[in-house]
Amino acid sequence: MRPARALIDLQALRHNYQLAREVTGAKALAVIKADAYGHGAVRCAEALQETADGFAVACIEEALELRAAGIRGPILLLEGFFEADELPLIIEHDFWCVVHSLWQLEAIEKAALSQPITVWLKLDSGMHRVGLHPADYQAAYRRLLASGKVAKIVLMSHFARADELHDSSSTEQLAIFDKARQGLVAQISLRNSPAVLGWPQIPSDWVRPGIMLYGATPFDEPNAVASRLQPVMTLESKIISVRELPAGEPVGYGARFVTTQPTRVGVVAMGYADGYPRQAPTGTPVLVEGQRSQLVGRVSMDMLAVDLTHIPQAGLGSTVELWGKNILASDVAKAADTIPYQIFCNLRRVPRLYSGH
Ligand SMILES: *Cc1c(COP(=O)(O)O)cnc(C)c1O
Protein backbone atom coordinates (compact mmCIF):
# COMPACT_ATOMS: atom_id res chain seq x y z
CA MET A 1 0.00 0.00 0.00
CA ARG A 2 1.26 3.46 -0.90
CA PRO A 3 2.46 5.11 2.31
CA ALA A 4 1.14 8.64 1.63
CA ARG A 5 -1.51 9.64 4.18
CA ALA A 6 -3.04 12.53 6.07
CA LEU A 7 -3.38 12.05 9.82
CA ILE A 8 -6.21 14.18 11.21
CA ASP A 9 -6.10 15.00 14.93
CA LEU A 10 -9.68 15.72 15.99
CA GLN A 11 -8.58 16.58 19.52
CA ALA A 12 -6.52 19.45 18.07
CA LEU A 13 -9.58 20.54 16.06
CA ARG A 14 -11.62 20.76 19.26
CA HIS A 15 -8.82 22.66 21.00
CA ASN A 16 -8.71 25.23 18.19
CA TYR A 17 -12.49 25.63 18.20
CA GLN A 18 -12.46 26.25 21.96
CA LEU A 19 -9.70 28.81 21.47
CA ALA A 20 -11.90 30.77 19.04
CA ARG A 21 -14.64 30.85 21.64
CA GLU A 22 -12.33 31.61 24.53
CA VAL A 23 -10.61 34.62 22.96
CA THR A 24 -13.83 36.17 21.68
CA GLY A 25 -16.41 35.18 24.28
CA ALA A 26 -18.73 34.79 21.29
CA LYS A 27 -20.68 31.94 19.78
CA ALA A 28 -18.74 30.30 16.99
CA LEU A 29 -19.88 28.75 13.72
CA ALA A 30 -17.21 26.24 12.72
CA VAL A 31 -16.54 26.90 9.04
CA ILE A 32 -16.27 23.48 7.40
CA LYS A 33 -16.86 24.40 3.77
CA ALA A 34 -14.79 22.74 1.02
CA ASP A 35 -14.82 19.42 2.91
CA ALA A 36 -13.52 21.18 6.03
CA TYR A 37 -10.62 22.68 4.10
CA GLY A 38 -9.63 19.19 2.99
CA HIS A 39 -9.91 17.66 6.49
CA GLY A 40 -13.23 15.84 5.91
CA ALA A 41 -16.40 17.79 6.70
CA VAL A 42 -18.45 14.95 8.16
CA ARG A 43 -15.72 13.70 10.51
CA CYS A 44 -14.87 17.24 11.62
CA ALA A 45 -18.54 18.06 12.21
CA GLU A 46 -19.00 14.85 14.20
CA ALA A 47 -15.99 15.73 16.34
CA LEU A 48 -17.40 19.20 17.07
CA GLN A 49 -21.08 18.27 17.23
CA GLU A 50 -21.31 18.17 21.03
CA THR A 51 -19.68 21.56 21.56
CA ALA A 52 -20.17 23.65 18.44
CA ASP A 53 -22.81 26.39 18.29
CA GLY A 54 -23.22 25.55 14.62
CA PHE A 55 -21.48 25.08 11.30
CA ALA A 56 -21.00 27.09 8.13
CA VAL A 57 -20.61 25.80 4.57
CA ALA A 58 -20.54 27.33 1.10
CA CYS A 59 -23.63 25.78 -0.43
CA ILE A 60 -26.64 23.56 0.12
CA GLU A 61 -24.87 20.53 -1.37
CA GLU A 62 -22.31 20.68 1.43
CA ALA A 63 -25.02 21.24 4.03
CA LEU A 64 -27.09 18.28 2.80
CA GLU A 65 -24.06 16.02 3.07
CA LEU A 66 -23.81 16.96 6.77
CA ARG A 67 -27.50 16.40 7.46
CA ALA A 68 -27.39 13.05 5.63
CA ALA A 69 -24.56 12.05 7.97
CA GLY A 70 -26.72 12.92 10.97
CA ILE A 71 -25.26 16.30 11.87
CA ARG A 72 -27.82 18.29 13.88
CA GLY A 73 -27.89 21.92 14.86
CA PRO A 74 -27.51 25.11 12.86
CA ILE A 75 -25.80 25.02 9.47
CA LEU A 76 -25.32 28.38 7.77
CA LEU A 77 -25.13 28.61 3.98
CA LEU A 78 -22.45 31.28 3.54
CA GLU A 79 -23.62 32.30 0.07
CA GLY A 80 -27.27 31.54 0.72
CA PHE A 81 -29.13 29.92 -2.14
CA PHE A 82 -27.94 30.06 -5.74
CA GLU A 83 -31.44 29.40 -7.08
CA ALA A 84 -34.78 30.06 -5.43
CA ASP A 85 -35.83 26.41 -5.78
CA GLU A 86 -33.41 25.59 -2.95
CA LEU A 87 -35.72 27.35 -0.47
CA PRO A 88 -37.98 24.35 0.30
CA LEU A 89 -34.90 22.25 1.13
CA ILE A 90 -33.52 25.06 3.27
CA ILE A 91 -36.72 24.95 5.29
CA GLU A 92 -36.98 21.17 5.36
CA HIS A 93 -33.46 20.83 6.78
CA ASP A 94 -33.59 23.96 8.90
CA PHE A 95 -30.54 25.61 7.32
CA TRP A 96 -29.65 29.21 8.06
CA CYS A 97 -29.29 31.32 4.98
CA VAL A 98 -27.11 34.30 4.08
CA VAL A 99 -28.82 36.94 1.97
CA HIS A 100 -26.10 38.86 0.14
CA SER A 101 -27.98 40.25 -2.87
CA LEU A 102 -31.28 41.93 -3.61
CA TRP A 103 -32.31 39.11 -5.95
CA GLN A 104 -32.22 36.72 -2.98
CA LEU A 105 -34.36 39.10 -0.93
CA GLU A 106 -36.89 39.30 -3.75
CA ALA A 107 -36.93 35.51 -4.09
CA ILE A 108 -37.76 35.15 -0.39
CA GLU A 109 -40.54 37.75 -0.71
CA LYS A 110 -42.03 35.86 -3.65
CA ALA A 111 -41.65 32.33 -2.28
CA ALA A 112 -44.42 30.45 -0.55
CA LEU A 113 -42.58 29.21 2.52
CA SER A 114 -44.04 26.62 4.88
CA GLN A 115 -42.03 28.06 7.79
CA PRO A 116 -40.03 31.21 8.45
CA ILE A 117 -36.26 31.03 7.86
CA THR A 118 -33.24 32.42 9.71
CA VAL A 119 -31.41 34.96 7.58
CA TRP A 120 -27.89 36.34 7.96
CA LEU A 121 -28.11 39.66 6.13
CA LYS A 122 -24.76 40.44 4.60
CA LEU A 123 -23.44 43.94 4.13
CA ASP A 124 -20.72 44.87 1.66
CA SER A 125 -18.67 47.00 4.02
CA GLY A 126 -15.80 47.44 1.59
CA MET A 127 -14.61 44.09 0.29
CA HIS A 128 -16.82 44.50 -2.79
CA ARG A 129 -17.36 40.82 -3.40
CA VAL A 130 -20.88 40.00 -2.17
CA GLY A 131 -23.15 41.81 0.27
CA LEU A 132 -25.77 44.54 0.09
CA HIS A 133 -24.76 48.13 -0.51
CA PRO A 134 -24.88 50.19 2.72
CA ALA A 135 -27.58 52.40 1.19
CA ASP A 136 -29.85 49.34 0.70
CA TYR A 137 -29.18 47.65 4.03
CA GLN A 138 -31.84 49.11 6.31
CA ALA A 139 -34.54 48.82 3.65
CA ALA A 140 -33.58 45.19 3.05
CA TYR A 141 -33.83 44.48 6.77
CA ARG A 142 -37.30 46.03 6.94
CA ARG A 143 -38.47 44.19 3.83
CA LEU A 144 -37.34 40.86 5.31
CA LEU A 145 -39.26 41.60 8.49
CA ALA A 146 -42.32 42.78 6.58
CA SER A 147 -42.30 39.64 4.43
CA GLY A 148 -43.32 37.60 7.46
CA LYS A 149 -41.07 34.84 6.14
CA VAL A 150 -38.14 35.39 8.43
CA ALA A 151 -37.78 34.07 11.97
CA LYS A 152 -34.57 35.86 12.89
CA ILE A 153 -32.05 38.17 11.23
CA VAL A 154 -28.33 38.28 12.07
CA LEU A 155 -26.35 41.19 10.65
CA MET A 156 -23.05 40.19 9.05
CA SER A 157 -20.15 41.41 7.02
CA HIS A 158 -16.74 40.07 5.99
CA PHE A 159 -13.24 41.56 6.14
CA ALA A 160 -10.95 41.81 3.14
CA ARG A 161 -7.67 42.45 4.97
CA ALA A 162 -7.98 41.23 8.56
CA ASP A 163 -4.82 39.16 8.04
CA GLU A 164 -2.86 42.42 7.72
CA LEU A 165 -2.51 43.42 11.34
CA HIS A 166 -1.20 46.91 10.66
CA ASP A 167 -3.74 47.83 8.01
CA SER A 168 -6.61 50.18 8.85
CA SER A 169 -9.20 48.81 6.43
CA SER A 170 -10.78 46.41 8.97
CA THR A 171 -11.47 49.36 11.27
CA GLU A 172 -12.88 51.27 8.33
CA GLN A 173 -15.09 48.33 7.37
CA LEU A 174 -16.32 48.14 10.98
CA ALA A 175 -17.27 51.84 10.89
CA ILE A 176 -19.24 51.32 7.67
CA PHE A 177 -20.98 48.29 9.19
CA ASP A 178 -21.87 50.18 12.38
CA LYS A 179 -23.27 53.09 10.39
CA ALA A 180 -25.32 50.83 8.11
CA ARG A 181 -26.90 48.97 11.05
CA GLN A 182 -27.60 52.01 13.21
CA GLY A 183 -30.85 51.55 15.11
CA LEU A 184 -31.29 47.88 14.19
CA VAL A 185 -31.54 45.59 17.19
CA ALA A 186 -30.02 42.31 16.05
CA GLN A 187 -27.06 40.05 16.67
CA ILE A 188 -23.96 40.67 14.58
CA SER A 189 -21.25 38.52 12.99
CA LEU A 190 -18.05 39.92 11.55
CA ARG A 191 -14.98 37.92 12.44
CA ASN A 192 -13.25 35.25 10.37
CA SER A 193 -10.06 33.58 11.69
CA PRO A 194 -7.67 36.53 11.25
CA ALA A 195 -10.19 38.81 12.93
CA VAL A 196 -10.71 36.31 15.78
CA LEU A 197 -6.97 36.00 16.35
CA GLY A 198 -5.76 39.49 15.64
CA TRP A 199 -8.57 41.99 16.16
CA PRO A 200 -9.84 41.64 19.75
CA GLN A 201 -11.49 45.06 19.66
CA ILE A 202 -13.95 44.10 16.90
CA PRO A 203 -17.31 43.06 18.36
CA SER A 204 -19.24 39.95 17.33
CA ASP A 205 -22.07 37.93 18.79
CA TRP A 206 -21.08 35.19 16.37
CA VAL A 207 -17.62 34.49 14.99
CA ARG A 208 -16.86 32.40 11.90
CA PRO A 209 -13.49 30.69 12.32
CA GLY A 210 -12.26 28.58 9.40
CA ILE A 211 -8.53 28.21 8.86
CA MET A 212 -7.72 28.56 12.55
CA LEU A 213 -9.78 25.46 13.35
CA TYR A 214 -7.29 23.49 11.32
CA GLY A 215 -4.41 24.96 13.27
CA ALA A 216 -2.85 27.17 10.61
CA THR A 217 -2.10 30.82 11.10
CA PRO A 218 -3.53 33.27 8.57
CA PHE A 219 -0.76 35.76 9.35
CA ASP A 220 2.63 36.30 7.76
CA GLU A 221 4.04 37.42 11.09
CA PRO A 222 4.15 35.84 14.55
CA ASN A 223 0.98 36.29 16.61
CA ALA A 224 0.54 35.36 20.27
CA VAL A 225 -2.94 33.86 19.93
CA ALA A 226 -2.12 32.05 16.67
CA SER A 227 0.87 30.44 18.40
CA ARG A 228 -1.63 28.60 20.64
CA LEU A 229 -3.19 26.80 17.66
CA GLN A 230 -2.52 23.10 17.22
CA PRO A 231 -2.00 21.77 13.67
CA VAL A 232 -4.74 19.26 12.87
CA MET A 233 -3.42 17.63 9.68
CA THR A 234 -0.10 15.80 9.37
CA LEU A 235 0.65 14.97 5.76
CA GLU A 236 3.23 12.22 5.69
CA SER A 237 4.71 9.52 3.51
CA LYS A 238 7.81 7.38 3.29
CA ILE A 239 11.07 7.23 1.39
CA ILE A 240 10.78 4.69 -1.43
CA SER A 241 14.21 5.08 -3.07
CA VAL A 242 17.63 6.49 -2.19
CA ARG A 243 20.31 7.85 -4.55
CA GLU A 244 23.96 8.59 -3.72
CA LEU A 245 25.04 11.25 -6.18
CA PRO A 246 28.41 12.91 -6.76
CA ALA A 247 28.64 16.67 -7.30
CA GLY A 248 27.25 18.00 -10.58
CA GLU A 249 24.28 15.61 -10.98
CA PRO A 250 20.74 16.80 -11.74
CA VAL A 251 17.66 15.63 -9.81
CA GLY A 252 14.15 15.41 -11.25
CA TYR A 253 12.26 17.00 -14.16
CA GLY A 254 13.94 19.90 -15.83
CA ALA A 255 17.17 19.35 -13.86
CA ARG A 256 16.06 22.22 -11.66
CA PHE A 257 18.40 21.07 -8.90
CA VAL A 258 22.02 20.09 -9.52
CA THR A 259 24.16 18.71 -6.67
CA THR A 260 27.09 20.90 -5.64
CA GLN A 261 28.65 18.21 -3.44
CA PRO A 262 28.23 14.47 -2.86
CA THR A 263 24.55 14.24 -1.95
CA ARG A 264 22.21 11.57 -0.66
CA VAL A 265 18.76 12.04 -2.14
CA GLY A 266 15.61 10.32 -0.89
CA VAL A 267 12.53 9.93 -3.09
CA VAL A 268 9.21 10.31 -1.24
CA ALA A 269 5.84 8.90 -2.34
CA MET A 270 4.08 12.27 -2.49
CA GLY A 271 3.41 14.55 -5.42
CA TYR A 272 1.23 17.27 -6.81
CA ALA A 273 -1.52 14.73 -7.58
CA ASP A 274 -1.83 14.39 -3.79
CA GLY A 275 -2.14 18.13 -3.44
CA TYR A 276 1.44 18.86 -2.48
CA PRO A 277 2.13 22.17 -4.25
CA ARG A 278 4.12 21.76 -7.46
CA GLN A 279 5.36 25.32 -7.02
CA ALA A 280 7.27 24.38 -3.85
CA PRO A 281 10.92 25.12 -4.67
CA THR A 282 14.19 23.51 -3.60
CA GLY A 283 14.62 24.48 0.04
CA THR A 284 10.99 23.97 1.10
CA PRO A 285 11.14 22.42 4.60
CA VAL A 286 10.35 18.74 5.30
CA LEU A 287 10.95 16.51 8.32
CA VAL A 288 12.75 13.16 7.84
CA GLU A 289 13.21 10.80 10.80
CA GLY A 290 12.46 13.77 13.04
CA GLN A 291 15.18 15.95 11.42
CA ARG A 292 14.48 19.05 9.40
CA SER A 293 15.61 18.85 5.81
CA GLN A 294 14.51 20.24 2.48
CA LEU A 295 12.93 19.47 -0.84
CA VAL A 296 15.29 19.28 -3.83
CA GLY A 297 14.28 19.62 -7.48
CA ARG A 298 10.83 19.75 -8.99
CA VAL A 299 7.80 18.11 -7.42
CA SER A 300 6.50 15.34 -9.73
CA MET A 301 2.94 14.05 -9.93
CA ASP A 302 3.51 11.11 -7.55
CA MET A 303 6.97 11.68 -6.08
CA LEU A 304 9.29 14.33 -4.75
CA ALA A 305 12.92 14.33 -3.65
CA VAL A 306 14.47 15.39 -0.34
CA ASP A 307 18.04 15.87 0.84
CA LEU A 308 19.25 13.11 3.21
CA THR A 309 22.94 14.05 3.18
CA HIS A 310 22.99 15.23 6.81
CA ILE A 311 20.58 12.51 8.06
CA PRO A 312 22.59 9.26 7.78
CA GLN A 313 20.06 7.32 9.85
CA ALA A 314 17.38 8.06 7.22
CA GLY A 315 16.87 5.65 4.36
CA LEU A 316 14.35 3.40 2.68
CA GLY A 317 11.11 3.37 4.64
CA SER A 318 11.88 6.49 6.70
CA THR A 319 8.85 8.58 7.52
CA VAL A 320 8.68 12.07 6.01
CA GLU A 321 6.39 14.82 7.33
CA LEU A 322 5.46 17.20 4.52
CA TRP A 323 3.49 19.40 6.90
CA GLY A 324 1.97 18.92 10.34
CA LYS A 325 3.00 19.46 13.95
CA ASN A 326 6.66 20.18 13.09
CA ILE A 327 6.63 21.56 9.57
CA LEU A 328 3.90 24.19 9.53
CA ALA A 329 1.56 24.13 6.55
CA SER A 330 1.75 27.92 6.52
CA ASP A 331 5.54 27.72 6.02
CA VAL A 332 5.19 25.24 3.15
CA ALA A 333 2.50 27.46 1.65
CA LYS A 334 4.71 30.52 1.91
CA ALA A 335 7.60 28.70 0.22
CA ALA A 336 5.23 27.72 -2.60
CA ASP A 337 3.92 31.29 -2.86
CA THR A 338 0.41 30.35 -1.78
CA ILE A 339 -1.65 30.15 1.44
CA PRO A 340 -2.39 27.26 3.81
CA TYR A 341 -6.08 27.47 2.80
CA GLN A 342 -5.17 26.37 -0.70
CA ILE A 343 -2.74 23.60 0.14
CA PHE A 344 -5.30 22.07 2.53
CA CYS A 345 -8.15 22.32 0.01
CA ASN A 346 -5.98 20.76 -2.69
CA LEU A 347 -5.47 17.56 -0.72
CA ARG A 348 -6.65 14.53 -2.70
CA ARG A 349 -5.89 10.86 -3.33
CA VAL A 350 -4.31 10.58 0.11
CA PRO A 351 -6.26 8.48 2.65
CA ARG A 352 -7.24 10.40 5.77
CA LEU A 353 -6.72 8.63 9.09
CA TYR A 354 -8.51 10.10 12.10
CA SER A 355 -7.53 10.11 15.75
CA GLY A 356 -8.73 11.84 18.88
CA HIS A 357 -12.44 11.18 18.75
C1 LIG B 1 -14.70 31.02 4.47
C2 LIG B 1 -15.38 32.06 5.26
C3 LIG B 1 -15.03 32.27 6.61
C4 LIG B 1 -13.86 31.57 7.27
O1 LIG B 1 -12.68 32.28 6.92
P1 LIG B 1 -11.28 31.90 7.61
O2 LIG B 1 -10.37 32.97 7.12
O3 LIG B 1 -10.92 30.56 7.08
O4 LIG B 1 -11.51 31.91 9.06
C5 LIG B 1 -15.77 33.17 7.35
N1 LIG B 1 -16.79 33.87 6.78
C6 LIG B 1 -17.13 33.72 5.48
C7 LIG B 1 -18.24 34.52 4.92
C8 LIG B 1 -16.44 32.84 4.68
O5 LIG B 1 -16.77 32.70 3.40
Side-chain angles (χ1 to χ4, degrees):
M1 191 177 139
R2 188 167 181 260
R5 55 206 190 147
L7 312 177
I8 310 288
D9 178 353
L10 297 171
Q11 189 56 48
L13 178 75
R14 282 191 292 268
H15 165 89
N16 298 332
Y17 177 82
Q18 292 295 1
L19 186 67
R21 265 203 190 144
E22 180 196 317
V23 299
T24 60
K27 294 189 197 180
L29 290 186
V31 179
I32 54 171
K33 62 190 177 189
D35 204 19
Y37 296 40
H39 292 66
V42 168
R43 293 302 298 266
C44 290
E46 284 169 352
L48 292 170
Q49 168 110 281
E50 295 307 316
T51 40
D53 301 305
F55 300 99
V57 294
C59 56
I60 198 164
E61 290 82 358
E62 293 180 342
L64 288 170
E65 184 196 2
L66 295 174
R67 280 284 187 264
I71 301 301
R72 302 172 305 277
I75 302 176
L76 175 66
L77 309 176
L78 287 167
E79 279 134 65
F81 48 90
F82 295 78
E83 298 181 285
D85 64 5
E86 296 165 29
L87 277 164
L89 274 177
I90 288 174
I91 288 170
E92 180 186 338
H93 293 281
D94 204 11
F95 297 142
W96 294 357
C97 184
V98 165
V99 167
H100 62 69
S101 290
L102 286 172
W103 73 263
Q104 290 174 322
L105 169 60
E106 286 156 15
I108 290 173
E109 286 177 325
K110 282 197 199 115
L113 302 182
S114 60
Q115 279 178 52
I117 57 174
T118 293
V119 166
W120 287 43
L121 188 60
K122 187 162 184 177
L123 177 77
D124 176 4
S125 57
M127 185 168 180
H128 302 330
R129 189 176 59 176
V130 295
L132 297 172
H133 191 279
D136 298 329
Y137 201 58
Q138 297 251 342
Y141 181 89
R142 284 194 299 272
R143 279 172 61 183
L144 279 174
L145 280 187
S147 76
K149 292 170 181 166
V150 168
K152 178 180 171 181
I153 305 175
V154 175
L155 310 178
M156 76 176 287
S157 193
H158 194 59
F159 293 119
R161 302 180 66 178
D163 56 325
E164 298 171 66
L165 292 169
H166 308 289
D167 182 84
S168 63
S169 75
S170 297
T171 318
E172 288 155 21
Q173 283 192 254
L174 174 64
I176 289 169
F177 179 75
D178 279 339
K179 183 153 177 270
R181 74 182 177 104
Q182 230 168 35
L184 304 184
V185 180
Q187 292 186 327
I188 62 170
S189 176
L190 292 168
R191 294 158 77 183
N192 55 359
S193 297
V196 165
L197 297 166
W199 296 86
Q201 68 280 30
I202 289 184
S204 257
D205 298 301
W206 292 87
V207 295
R208 308 188 304 268
I211 193 74
M212 69 173 286
L213 297 179
Y214 311 103
T217 177
F219 304 120
D220 269 342
E221 57 189 288
N223 170 271
V225 188
S227 71
R228 295 170 61 195
L229 295 171
Q230 297 178 3
V232 172
M233 182 193 297
T234 298
L235 181 66
E236 63 171 45
S237 189
K238 289 191 186 320
I239 293 186
I240 59 167
S241 176
V242 177
R243 290 274 173 289
E244 308 267 0
L245 299 173
E249 290 296 320
V251 176
Y253 283 121
R256 290 288 281 263
F257 172 79
V258 179
T259 57
T260 56
Q261 56 181 37
T263 302
R264 232 171 125 245
V265 171
V267 176
V268 184
M270 178 67 62
Y272 62 77
D274 303 300
Y276 191 90
R278 181 176 178 276
Q279 290 73 14
T282 292
T284 302
V286 298
L287 195 83
V288 187
E289 292 280 358
Q291 305 282 316
R292 281 180 81 91
S293 186
Q294 55 165 6
L295 192 78
V296 293
R298 264 197 185 142
V299 174
S300 305
M301 187 181 289
D302 314 308
M303 291 176 272
L304 54 79
V306 299
D307 188 359
L308 302 180
T309 311
H310 62 290
I311 317 175
Q313 70 275 28
L316 275 182
S318 287
T319 296
V320 179
E321 175 184 309
L322 286 315
W323 60 71
K325 310 265 182 209
N326 302 285
I327 303 294
L328 297 183
S330 49
D331 289 341
V332 176
K334 194 184 290 183
D337 201 19
T338 182
I339 51 177
Y341 299 75
Q342 194 192 22
I343 66 171
F344 288 150
C345 290
N346 279 353
L347 189 80
R348 66 184 84 86
R349 188 168 71 182
V350 177
R352 288 183 297 226
L353 306 179
Y354 291 86
S355 67
H357 193 51

